[in-house]
Amino acid sequence: MTLRVIEILKTVDLIAAEDTRNTLKLLNHFEIKTPMTSYHQHNLETKGPVLIEKLKEGKNIALVTDAGMPGISDPGEDMAKRCREEGIPVTIAPGASAGISALVLSGMEARRYVFEGFLPTDKKERQTVLKNLEKETRTTVFYEAPHRLTDTLAALLKAAGDREAAAVREITKRYEEVRHDTLSGLLEYYKANPPKGEFVLVVGGMSESALRQEEIDSWSSITIEEHMQKYISEGMGEKDAMKRVSKDRGVSKREIYAYLNKDK
């Protein structure tokens, strides 16, 4: 909690809170008397327009979420979009973000990463995310609730194979824990030890060398002659086709030439 956040919460006209009961504890701690209203996933369609009208009237509203950064995997995203569409200015008083914090705590590759948040509940969207994970070379960050953790770990294991992973929970709280293992190791552990608290799962990416080998192996189902014919039928000359085939198969152009001319 920064001094700027405290000042904002004291001076705005209204606080829109994901859970007014939780936020009240925070306000009481800092002796903040600003009025509150609920704004959460289940009432954003009805409450969103009401808040927009108050903003248009000149009111200043602060949006507070239960945990983490507002707008990341919570209804704050919807409010920011509504404000943009209405030309209403928005600013941010940054605080901790669970995804970034977990990525740092995991000690895993952080230069390039993908944030996925919670897996989609829609089956088709969920399968698309899991399918993309198969060949993802960047570290991927997921959010998950304790009652779905083992199911999600099983789904990630099936989609990505037994990757390096970390399960990070209760960040900055009393029972903060970082468990670094493989996906199968984490799944086995949490099946035996029922998970508690909110989790961030950090999943390592497929290595570039493994991805390259997989691409090379994918061409083994056709002969070199068929491979050559594929590119020639697309309009390539023989030399260019030979160059592409050698690259696809991870061998030298000389080897492809020697193979094709072995009976001459």
Side-chain angles (χ1 to χ4, degrees):
M1 178 64 73
T2 66
L3 293 175
R4 181 183 176 214
V5 171
I6 295 171
E7 182 63 23
I8 288 172
L9 293 178
K10 284 182 176 180
T11 57
V12 293
D13 299 299
L14 181 67
I15 295 171
E18 190 172 9
D19 188 324
T20 54
R21 296 166 300 179
N22 285 340
T23 302
L24 183 61
K25 297 174 186 177
L26 177 72
L27 300 187
N28 286 340
H29 180 78
F30 290 105
E31 299 182 347
I32 297 170
K33 307 298 183 182
T34 306
M36 277 193 297
T37 187
S38 65
Y39 179 68
H40 47 72
Q41 192 67 42
H42 304 294
N43 75 350
L44 60 86
E45 291 298 333
T46 55
K47 184 59 71 71
V50 173
L51 295 178
I52 289 295
E53 286 305 310
K54 290 182 181 295
L55 289 166
K56 285 181 175 180
E57 293 168 5
K59 301 291 186 182
N60 288 320
I61 301 176
L63 189 148
V64 179
T65 52
D66 284 352
M69 176 73 74
I72 302 297
S73 294
D74 70 44
E77 178 183 358
D78 181 73
M79 180 53 64
K81 180 182 177 182
R82 290 177 187 270
C83 288
R84 185 190 73 234
E85 291 173 346
E86 295 288 344
I88 298 170
V90 176
T91 188
I92 186 169
S97 172
I100 297 293
S101 300
L103 180 61
V104 173
L105 289 172
S106 74
M108 294 166 61
E109 174 64 49
R111 185 179 68 85
R112 298 169 64 247
Y113 68 92
V114 182
F115 176 75
E116 286 289 353
F118 292 96
L119 280 175
T121 53
D122 179 84
K123 288 185 178 180
K124 189 173 181 180
E125 291 180 25
R126 184 184 181 91
Q127 283 305 116
T128 298
V129 172
L130 292 172
K131 182 68 177 176
N132 290 339
L133 186 63
E134 288 180 16
K135 299 184 186 303
E136 182 57 72
T137 58
R138 296 166 294 182
T139 303
T140 306
V141 179
F142 296 92
Y143 286 168
E144 195 49 275
H147 64 281
R148 291 192 302 261
L149 186 71
T150 54
D151 287 342
T152 295
L153 285 169
L156 296 176
L157 176 61
K158 182 178 179 180
D162 205 8
R163 301 259 186 95
E164 174 189 17
V168 187
R169 72 183 186 99
E170 298 297 275
I171 300 169
T172 74
K173 299 178 183 178
R174 181 179 179 184
Y175 296 106
E176 177 180 282
E177 179 184 46
V178 181
R179 184 163 293 277
H180 190 275
D181 206 324
T182 59
L183 284 170
S184 65
L186 291 175
L187 178 58
E188 183 178 351
Y189 176 82
Y190 286 113
K191 278 184 174 179
N193 301 273
K196 296 178 181 179
E198 298 301 314
F199 281 80
V200 181
L201 296 174
V202 185
V203 182
M206 178 184 239
S207 69
E208 294 285 354
S209 59
L211 179 61
R212 176 63 182 138
Q213 188 58 52
E214 191 173 285
E215 290 173 349
I216 291 171
D217 293 344
S218 70
W219 292 106
S220 63
S221 61
I222 62 174
T223 65
I224 291 177
E225 290 86 354
E226 290 170 332
H227 202 159
M228 282 287 294
Q229 188 56 44
K230 173 187 182 301
Y231 290 125
I232 290 172
S233 67
E234 293 173 1
M236 279 190 187
E238 189 173 345
K239 287 185 177 180
D240 287 336
M242 203 176 295
K243 186 176 181 181
R244 285 292 300 273
V245 170
S246 66
K247 183 180 179 181
D248 289 346
R249 291 178 175 262
V251 297
S252 69
K253 184 179 174 181
R254 182 182 299 175
E255 288 180 69
I256 300 298
Y257 178 84
Y259 176 85
L260 293 172
N261 291 275
K262 62 182 184 296
D263 298 325
K264 293 183 181 179

